[in-house]
Short mmCIF file of all heavy atoms in Angstrom, two decimals:
data_model
loop_
_atom_site.label_atom_id
_atom_site.label_comp_id
_atom_site.label_asym_id
_atom_site.label_seq_id
_atom_site.Cartn_x
_atom_site.Cartn_y
_atom_site.Cartn_z
N LYS I 1 39.75 -16.49 -165.02
CA LYS I 1 40.97 -17.18 -165.43
C LYS I 1 42.11 -16.82 -164.47
O LYS I 1 42.72 -15.77 -164.58
CB LYS I 1 41.33 -16.80 -166.87
CG LYS I 1 40.29 -17.27 -167.88
CD LYS I 1 40.70 -17.01 -169.32
CE LYS I 1 39.65 -17.54 -170.29
NZ LYS I 1 40.03 -17.28 -171.71
N GLU I 2 42.29 -17.68 -163.49
CA GLU I 2 43.34 -17.54 -162.48
C GLU I 2 43.22 -16.23 -161.70
O GLU I 2 44.13 -15.39 -161.72
CB GLU I 2 44.73 -17.66 -163.12
CG GLU I 2 44.97 -19.00 -163.79
CD GLU I 2 46.35 -19.08 -164.41
OE1 GLU I 2 47.19 -18.20 -164.14
OE2 GLU I 2 46.59 -20.04 -165.15
N PRO I 3 42.11 -16.04 -160.99
CA PRO I 3 42.00 -14.83 -160.14
C PRO I 3 43.07 -14.87 -159.06
O PRO I 3 43.24 -15.87 -158.37
CB PRO I 3 40.59 -14.94 -159.56
CG PRO I 3 40.27 -16.41 -159.61
CD PRO I 3 40.95 -16.93 -160.84
N GLN I 4 43.78 -13.76 -158.90
CA GLN I 4 44.90 -13.70 -157.96
C GLN I 4 44.72 -12.60 -156.92
O GLN I 4 44.65 -12.86 -155.73
CB GLN I 4 46.21 -13.51 -158.72
CG GLN I 4 46.54 -14.63 -159.68
CD GLN I 4 47.93 -14.51 -160.28
OE1 GLN I 4 48.84 -15.22 -159.89
NE2 GLN I 4 48.10 -13.59 -161.22
N GLY I 5 44.68 -11.35 -157.37
CA GLY I 5 44.61 -10.22 -156.45
C GLY I 5 43.20 -9.71 -156.27
O GLY I 5 42.39 -9.71 -157.20
N LEU I 6 42.91 -9.25 -155.04
CA LEU I 6 41.59 -8.69 -154.72
C LEU I 6 41.77 -7.40 -153.93
O LEU I 6 42.72 -7.25 -153.17
CB LEU I 6 40.78 -9.66 -153.84
CG LEU I 6 40.49 -11.06 -154.36
CD1 LEU I 6 39.76 -11.86 -153.27
CD2 LEU I 6 39.66 -11.02 -155.63
N ALA I 7 40.82 -6.50 -154.10
CA ALA I 7 40.76 -5.31 -153.26
C ALA I 7 39.30 -4.91 -153.08
O ALA I 7 38.52 -4.93 -154.05
CB ALA I 7 41.54 -4.15 -153.86
N TYR I 8 38.94 -4.57 -151.85
CA TYR I 8 37.60 -4.04 -151.59
C TYR I 8 37.71 -2.52 -151.45
O TYR I 8 38.60 -2.02 -150.75
CB TYR I 8 37.02 -4.64 -150.31
CG TYR I 8 35.70 -4.01 -149.93
CD1 TYR I 8 34.54 -4.28 -150.66
CD2 TYR I 8 35.62 -3.11 -148.87
CE1 TYR I 8 33.34 -3.67 -150.34
CE2 TYR I 8 34.41 -2.50 -148.54
CZ TYR I 8 33.28 -2.79 -149.28
OH TYR I 8 32.08 -2.19 -148.97
N LEU I 9 36.80 -1.81 -152.12
CA LEU I 9 36.79 -0.35 -152.10
C LEU I 9 35.62 0.12 -151.25
O LEU I 9 34.47 0.11 -151.70
CB LEU I 9 36.67 0.21 -153.53
CG LEU I 9 37.61 -0.37 -154.58
CD1 LEU I 9 37.42 0.33 -155.92
CD2 LEU I 9 39.06 -0.28 -154.12
N PRO I 10 35.87 0.51 -150.00
CA PRO I 10 34.76 0.81 -149.09
C PRO I 10 33.89 1.99 -149.52
O PRO I 10 32.68 1.97 -149.32
CB PRO I 10 35.47 1.09 -147.75
CG PRO I 10 36.88 1.41 -148.10
CD PRO I 10 37.19 0.64 -149.34
N GLY I 11 34.50 3.01 -150.13
CA GLY I 11 33.71 4.16 -150.53
C GLY I 11 32.73 3.87 -151.65
O GLY I 11 31.73 4.58 -151.81
N ARG I 12 33.01 2.83 -152.42
CA ARG I 12 32.17 2.47 -153.55
C ARG I 12 31.42 1.17 -153.34
O ARG I 12 30.63 0.78 -154.20
CB ARG I 12 33.04 2.35 -154.83
CG ARG I 12 33.71 3.64 -155.23
CD ARG I 12 34.57 3.49 -156.46
NE ARG I 12 35.06 4.78 -156.90
CZ ARG I 12 34.39 5.61 -157.67
NH1 ARG I 12 33.19 5.28 -158.11
NH2 ARG I 12 34.89 6.79 -157.99
N ASP I 13 31.70 0.48 -152.25
CA ASP I 13 31.17 -0.85 -152.02
C ASP I 13 31.39 -1.72 -153.25
O ASP I 13 30.48 -2.37 -153.78
CB ASP I 13 29.67 -0.81 -151.66
CG ASP I 13 29.19 -2.13 -151.07
OD1 ASP I 13 30.01 -2.87 -150.50
OD2 ASP I 13 27.98 -2.44 -151.21
N ALA I 14 32.64 -1.73 -153.70
CA ALA I 14 33.01 -2.43 -154.92
C ALA I 14 34.15 -3.41 -154.65
O ALA I 14 34.95 -3.23 -153.72
CB ALA I 14 33.42 -1.44 -156.00
N LEU I 15 34.22 -4.43 -155.48
CA LEU I 15 35.27 -5.44 -155.41
C LEU I 15 36.06 -5.40 -156.71
O LEU I 15 35.48 -5.35 -157.80
CB LEU I 15 34.67 -6.83 -155.21
CG LEU I 15 35.65 -8.00 -155.13
CD1 LEU I 15 36.50 -7.92 -153.87
CD2 LEU I 15 34.91 -9.33 -155.20
N VAL I 16 37.40 -5.44 -156.58
CA VAL I 16 38.29 -5.45 -157.74
C VAL I 16 39.01 -6.80 -157.77
O VAL I 16 39.54 -7.24 -156.75
CB VAL I 16 39.32 -4.31 -157.66
CG1 VAL I 16 40.21 -4.30 -158.90
CG2 VAL I 16 38.61 -2.97 -157.51
N VAL I 17 39.01 -7.43 -158.95
CA VAL I 17 39.62 -8.75 -159.12
C VAL I 17 40.61 -8.71 -160.27
O VAL I 17 40.24 -8.34 -161.39
CB VAL I 17 38.56 -9.84 -159.41
CG1 VAL I 17 39.21 -11.21 -159.56
CG2 VAL I 17 37.49 -9.88 -158.32
N ALA I 18 41.86 -9.08 -160.01
CA ALA I 18 42.88 -9.16 -161.05
C ALA I 18 43.13 -10.63 -161.37
O ALA I 18 43.39 -11.43 -160.46
CB ALA I 18 44.17 -8.50 -160.60
N SER I 19 43.07 -10.98 -162.65
CA SER I 19 43.23 -12.37 -163.08
C SER I 19 44.48 -12.52 -163.92
O SER I 19 44.64 -11.84 -164.95
CB SER I 19 42.00 -12.83 -163.88
OG SER I 19 40.85 -12.83 -163.05
N GLY I 20 45.36 -13.42 -163.49
CA GLY I 20 46.61 -13.62 -164.20
C GLY I 20 46.45 -14.34 -165.52
O GLY I 20 47.26 -14.16 -166.43
N GLY I 21 45.41 -15.16 -165.66
CA GLY I 21 45.24 -15.96 -166.87
C GLY I 21 44.92 -15.16 -168.11
O GLY I 21 45.35 -15.52 -169.21
N ASP I 22 44.16 -14.08 -167.96
CA ASP I 22 43.81 -13.27 -169.14
C ASP I 22 44.22 -11.81 -168.98
O ASP I 22 43.94 -10.99 -169.87
CB ASP I 22 42.32 -13.37 -169.45
CG ASP I 22 41.42 -12.89 -168.32
OD1 ASP I 22 41.95 -12.37 -167.31
OD2 ASP I 22 40.19 -13.03 -168.43
N GLY I 23 44.85 -11.45 -167.86
CA GLY I 23 45.35 -10.09 -167.70
C GLY I 23 44.27 -9.04 -167.47
O GLY I 23 44.53 -7.85 -167.66
N THR I 24 43.08 -9.46 -167.03
CA THR I 24 42.01 -8.49 -166.83
C THR I 24 41.94 -8.02 -165.37
O THR I 24 42.35 -8.73 -164.45
CB THR I 24 40.63 -9.09 -167.19
OG1 THR I 24 40.39 -10.24 -166.37
CG2 THR I 24 40.58 -9.48 -168.65
N VAL I 25 41.42 -6.82 -165.22
CA VAL I 25 41.03 -6.30 -163.91
C VAL I 25 39.53 -6.06 -164.00
O VAL I 25 39.07 -5.22 -164.78
CB VAL I 25 41.78 -5.00 -163.57
CG1 VAL I 25 41.32 -4.46 -162.23
CG2 VAL I 25 43.28 -5.23 -163.58
N ARG I 26 38.78 -6.80 -163.19
CA ARG I 26 37.31 -6.74 -163.25
C ARG I 26 36.76 -6.08 -161.99
O ARG I 26 37.27 -6.29 -160.89
CB ARG I 26 36.72 -8.14 -163.43
CG ARG I 26 37.17 -8.79 -164.74
CD ARG I 26 36.59 -10.19 -164.95
NE ARG I 26 37.10 -10.76 -166.18
CZ ARG I 26 36.56 -10.60 -167.39
NH1 ARG I 26 35.44 -9.88 -167.50
NH2 ARG I 26 37.09 -11.14 -168.46
N PHE I 27 35.69 -5.32 -162.19
CA PHE I 27 35.04 -4.59 -161.11
C PHE I 27 33.65 -5.18 -160.90
O PHE I 27 32.93 -5.48 -161.87
CB PHE I 27 34.93 -3.10 -161.46
CG PHE I 27 36.26 -2.42 -161.63
CD1 PHE I 27 36.98 -2.55 -162.81
CD2 PHE I 27 36.79 -1.65 -160.60
CE1 PHE I 27 38.22 -1.93 -162.96
CE2 PHE I 27 38.01 -1.02 -160.75
CZ PHE I 27 38.73 -1.16 -161.92
N TYR I 28 33.25 -5.32 -159.63
CA TYR I 28 31.96 -5.90 -159.27
C TYR I 28 31.32 -5.08 -158.16
O TYR I 28 32.02 -4.48 -157.33
CB TYR I 28 32.13 -7.35 -158.77
CG TYR I 28 32.68 -8.29 -159.80
CD1 TYR I 28 34.06 -8.46 -159.92
CD2 TYR I 28 31.85 -9.00 -160.66
CE1 TYR I 28 34.59 -9.32 -160.87
CE2 TYR I 28 32.37 -9.87 -161.62
CZ TYR I 28 33.74 -10.02 -161.72
OH TYR I 28 34.26 -10.87 -162.67
N ARG I 29 30.00 -5.07 -158.15
CA ARG I 29 29.28 -4.56 -156.98
C ARG I 29 29.46 -5.59 -155.88
O ARG I 29 29.14 -6.76 -156.05
CB ARG I 29 27.81 -4.37 -157.30
CG ARG I 29 27.53 -3.30 -158.36
CD ARG I 29 26.07 -2.84 -158.33
NE ARG I 29 25.13 -3.95 -158.31
CZ ARG I 29 24.25 -4.21 -159.28
NH1 ARG I 29 24.20 -3.46 -160.36
NH2 ARG I 29 23.43 -5.23 -159.17
N ALA I 30 29.95 -5.15 -154.74
CA ALA I 30 30.27 -6.10 -153.68
C ALA I 30 29.03 -6.74 -153.07
O ALA I 30 29.08 -7.88 -152.61
CB ALA I 30 31.10 -5.42 -152.60
N GLY I 31 27.92 -6.02 -153.05
CA GLY I 31 26.72 -6.54 -152.41
C GLY I 31 26.13 -7.76 -153.09
O GLY I 31 25.73 -8.71 -152.41
N ASP I 32 26.09 -7.75 -154.42
CA ASP I 32 25.49 -8.88 -155.14
C ASP I 32 26.44 -9.51 -156.15
O ASP I 32 26.06 -10.41 -156.90
CB ASP I 32 24.20 -8.45 -155.85
CG ASP I 32 24.40 -7.30 -156.84
OD1 ASP I 32 25.57 -6.92 -157.09
OD2 ASP I 32 23.41 -6.78 -157.36
N LEU I 33 27.70 -9.03 -156.18
CA LEU I 33 28.74 -9.56 -157.06
C LEU I 33 28.38 -9.42 -158.54
O LEU I 33 28.87 -10.18 -159.39
CB LEU I 33 29.05 -11.04 -156.73
CG LEU I 33 29.48 -11.30 -155.28
CD1 LEU I 33 29.77 -12.78 -155.09
CD2 LEU I 33 30.69 -10.47 -154.91
N ALA I 34 27.56 -8.42 -158.87
CA ALA I 34 27.21 -8.16 -160.26
C ALA I 34 28.36 -7.42 -160.96
O ALA I 34 29.00 -6.56 -160.36
CB ALA I 34 25.95 -7.31 -160.34
N PRO I 35 28.64 -7.75 -162.24
CA PRO I 35 29.73 -7.09 -162.97
C PRO I 35 29.48 -5.59 -163.09
O PRO I 35 28.35 -5.14 -163.29
CB PRO I 35 29.70 -7.76 -164.35
CG PRO I 35 28.98 -9.05 -164.14
CD PRO I 35 27.98 -8.80 -163.05
N ALA I 36 30.57 -4.81 -162.98
CA ALA I 36 30.46 -3.36 -163.07
C ALA I 36 31.50 -2.76 -164.01
O ALA I 36 31.62 -1.54 -164.10
CB ALA I 36 30.60 -2.73 -161.69
N GLY I 37 32.25 -3.59 -164.72
CA GLY I 37 33.23 -3.08 -165.68
C GLY I 37 34.46 -3.95 -165.72
O GLY I 37 34.72 -4.75 -164.81
N VAL I 38 35.24 -3.78 -166.79
CA VAL I 38 36.46 -4.58 -166.96
C VAL I 38 37.52 -3.75 -167.65
O VAL I 38 37.23 -2.91 -168.50
CB VAL I 38 36.16 -5.87 -167.76
CG1 VAL I 38 35.61 -5.55 -169.14
CG2 VAL I 38 37.39 -6.76 -167.86
N LEU I 39 38.77 -3.96 -167.25
CA LEU I 39 39.93 -3.31 -167.86
C LEU I 39 40.90 -4.40 -168.30
O LEU I 39 41.29 -5.25 -167.49
CB LEU I 39 40.61 -2.38 -166.86
CG LEU I 39 42.01 -1.86 -167.23
CD1 LEU I 39 41.93 -0.90 -168.41
CD2 LEU I 39 42.65 -1.17 -166.02
N ALA I 40 41.28 -4.38 -169.57
CA ALA I 40 42.31 -5.30 -170.07
C ALA I 40 43.66 -4.66 -169.77
O ALA I 40 44.12 -3.78 -170.48
CB ALA I 40 42.13 -5.53 -171.57
N LEU I 41 44.31 -5.12 -168.69
CA LEU I 41 45.53 -4.48 -168.23
C LEU I 41 46.77 -5.06 -168.87
O LEU I 41 47.60 -4.34 -169.43
CB LEU I 41 45.62 -4.59 -166.70
CG LEU I 41 46.85 -3.94 -166.07
CD1 LEU I 41 46.84 -2.43 -166.31
CD2 LEU I 41 46.90 -4.24 -164.57
N GLY I 42 46.95 -6.36 -168.78
CA GLY I 42 48.15 -7.00 -169.31
C GLY I 42 48.36 -8.34 -168.65
O GLY I 42 47.76 -8.64 -167.62
N LYS I 43 49.21 -9.16 -169.23
CA LYS I 43 49.38 -10.54 -168.76
C LYS I 43 49.82 -10.59 -167.30
O LYS I 43 50.47 -9.68 -166.79
CB LYS I 43 50.41 -11.27 -169.63
CG LYS I 43 51.82 -10.70 -169.55
CD LYS I 43 52.78 -11.49 -170.41
CE LYS I 43 54.22 -10.96 -170.27
NZ LYS I 43 55.18 -11.75 -171.05
N ASP I 44 49.41 -11.67 -166.65
CA ASP I 44 49.79 -11.96 -165.27
C ASP I 44 49.42 -10.84 -164.31
O ASP I 44 50.20 -10.46 -163.44
CB ASP I 44 51.29 -12.28 -165.16
CG ASP I 44 51.63 -13.05 -163.89
OD1 ASP I 44 50.70 -13.53 -163.23
OD2 ASP I 44 52.82 -13.16 -163.56
N ALA I 45 48.20 -10.32 -164.45
CA ALA I 45 47.70 -9.35 -163.46
C ALA I 45 47.64 -10.05 -162.12
O ALA I 45 47.09 -11.14 -162.00
CB ALA I 45 46.33 -8.84 -163.88
N ASP I 46 48.21 -9.41 -161.09
CA ASP I 46 48.50 -10.16 -159.86
C ASP I 46 48.02 -9.38 -158.63
O ASP I 46 46.83 -9.14 -158.48
CB ASP I 46 50.02 -10.43 -159.81
CG ASP I 46 50.42 -11.51 -158.84
OD1 ASP I 46 49.61 -11.88 -157.98
OD2 ASP I 46 51.56 -11.99 -158.92
N ASN I 47 48.93 -8.98 -157.76
CA ASN I 47 48.55 -8.31 -156.51
C ASN I 47 47.80 -7.01 -156.76
O ASN I 47 48.13 -6.25 -157.67
CB ASN I 47 49.81 -8.01 -155.68
CG ASN I 47 50.23 -9.18 -154.83
OD1 ASN I 47 49.43 -10.04 -154.50
ND2 ASN I 47 51.50 -9.22 -154.46
N VAL I 48 46.82 -6.75 -155.89
CA VAL I 48 46.03 -5.52 -155.96
C VAL I 48 46.02 -4.88 -154.57
O VAL I 48 45.79 -5.57 -153.57
CB VAL I 48 44.58 -5.80 -156.40
CG1 VAL I 48 43.80 -4.49 -156.49
CG2 VAL I 48 44.54 -6.54 -157.73
#
């Protein structure tokens, strides 16, 4: 829901996605884009 901010974490080979539509911050394995966790942060999650 409206993905906005992204960050790649080299030490973990992980991708972080912040979505403004539902306020979540989602974590993925960067190699296969498999889900690795989610944090309900707050509305309009944006730059990462």
Side-chain angles (χ1 to χ4, degrees):
K1 296 185 178 179
E2 299 180 11
Q4 299 188 104
L6 302 176
Y8 174 73
L9 311 183
R12 298 179 173 276
D13 194 26
L15 179 68
V16 182
V17 180
S19 296
D22 60 6
T24 59
V25 178
R26 298 180 183 272
F27 297 80
Y28 298 89
R29 296 198 311 244
D32 58 7
L33 303 181
V38 60
L39 167 68
L41 181 63
K43 65 179 183 178
D44 200 12
D46 197 344
N47 274 337
V48 182

